[in-house]
Amino acid sequence: MEKQHKKGRLHAIERIRALLDKDSFVEIYSGVRHNCSEFGMDKKEIPYDGVITGFGTINGRQVAVYSQDFTLQGGSLGFLHGRKIADIIEAAVNARCPLIGINDSGGARIQEGVNALAGYGEIFYNNVLASGYIPQISIIAGSCAGGAVYSPGITDFVFTVKSLSLLFVTGAKVVKAAVNTDITDEELGGAEVHAEKSGVAHFLAENEKDCFSTVRRLLDFIPHYYGDKMNQTRNDSRIIPWNKSNFSKSKLKKITEILPEKQNRCYDVHEIIDCLTDDGEFLEVHAGFARNIVTGFARIAGVVTGIIANQSDHLGGVLDCDASDKAARFIRYCDAFDIQLLTLTDVPGFLPGPQEEQKGIIRHGAKLIYAYAEATVPKVTVILRKAYGGAYIAMCSRHLKADFVFAWESSEIAVMGAEGAVQILYGKDLKSGSMEFEEKKEEYRKSFMNPWTAAKAGNISEVIKPEETRGKIEAAFAFLADKKDTGKIRKKHGNIPL
């Protein structure tokens, strides 16, 4: 413990106690010891084989937990260490409760050879079995290398802590030896790298206390197992028709003032989310990664709702490879646990250019389309300002089986913006000077880009005013509360473009 404290870190058992409700932790398999006799290991005593496992409560509800002890053999994973983790995952599945792993490990225990790898194999297999049935949360509380990074990679939510968390397949020294590149461990796999660039981490905390607090908050939002309805309590809006007196009048006024007058000006979509959610309560997921799209959990009329929104304030809300991946992963999580989805659309299209094409924007964009089309939970979409081209379809349009699509009166829905469309349609006339560009652009916008054109074709459920939005989505979700998917084709599973 002293070694950890000198580094400004908590010990494995202190982390468990800080995370769980006071005095709720019950340890299991504390008597396990490694069975390796090679390389002098027969003379080494490693208490609980370097990982503490057990269960307790968070906010009064059961969770399973494990915490690796870096002070014992560097937290390295041997066969029985791995089996203890695999067993607690299995126990969490059987008990139908979330699993939280506090990871602080140098990787496979080299002295145990392939047996250590077998331990990892059992963990990975159980992670996959648990996926979609119970939430799996990984806290990176130290340096995790090699096989130690792949279990977190499978789990639903990864938490990192500034100046503490490190994740990489191989560390800086190996990178130097293998490819002759000088880089620090922090630059290679630090908390900010994974929260902002790689997208491996969903949450970035200032310190361990902040991290544990956010984990507890997340567990207040999400179902604790597939079929859990405890966090899905709907208020009286399901019985009593929504009216303005049920909701903050200041929010209704504010939402009409958020969009800039000019279409090419940016705004922060968080302001709109705040106007639509109960008490403005919103837990953002992946906040630092692919910031052109916003994902997170909120409550609407008391019901937990997954929100996906284009962020005008970053790259104009355009869809690129990372944004598509981020949103698709979030959508699939919500669908797995029956969390209703609200999509707020303001998208100019998919990001053009050789860089995105070479990264595979077609494949990544297809993931987003697949995730929305596959999701069977209640899906409500609001088009705030613009929805162009394939991105209009991809952002949960009626064609991907959104249950209801509402569009604000000032929104624009088209194959592309007016400028590009006019240049394609009237290019020759514009060059000859026989036609006025601005005049044609305004004519095209009024005739083809307004939401009523889409509404006439049945592609929009209703054109609405901004101040009507909360009422419409609340009523729509109340209507869809007992939605059941009846149109499934019998098959094993589809093939998502990974």
Side-chain angles (χ1 to χ4, degrees), residues 110-131:
I110 297 171
Q111 294 91 333
E112 293 196 29
V114 71
N115 283 337
L117 300 180
Y120 274 126
E122 289 200 17
I123 295 171
F124 302 161
Y125 181 77
N126 279 280
N127 282 142
V128 173
L129 283 184
S131 182

Side-chain angles (χ1 to χ4, degrees), residues 94-111:
N94 293 335
R96 296 198 303 173
C97 72
L99 171 82
I100 304 169
I102 304 175
N103 298 267
D104 192 357
S105 171
R109 193 174 294 162
I110 297 171
Q111 294 91 333

Side-chain angles (χ1 to χ4, degrees), residues 21 36 57 70 100 135 143 162 232 307-308 317 324 355 360 427 464 478:
D21 295 341
C36 178
T57 62
F70 193 79
I100 304 169
S143 178
K162 288 182 180 180
Q232 300 288 66
I307 295 179
I308 305 97
S324 298
Q355 185 175 354
I464 63 173

Side-chain angles (χ1 to χ4, degrees), residues 1 37 84 114 201 203 230 340 465:
M1 283 194 181
S37 59
K84 282 182 68 175
V114 71
F203 295 93
M230 183 170 284
Q340 63 190 24
K465 297 177 180 178

Side-chain angles (χ1 to χ4, degrees), residues 272-284:
I272 290 177
I273 293 171
D274 175 70
C275 290
L276 299 178
T277 55
D278 298 356
D279 303 318
E281 188 180 15
F282 180 60
L283 177 60
E284 189 167 356

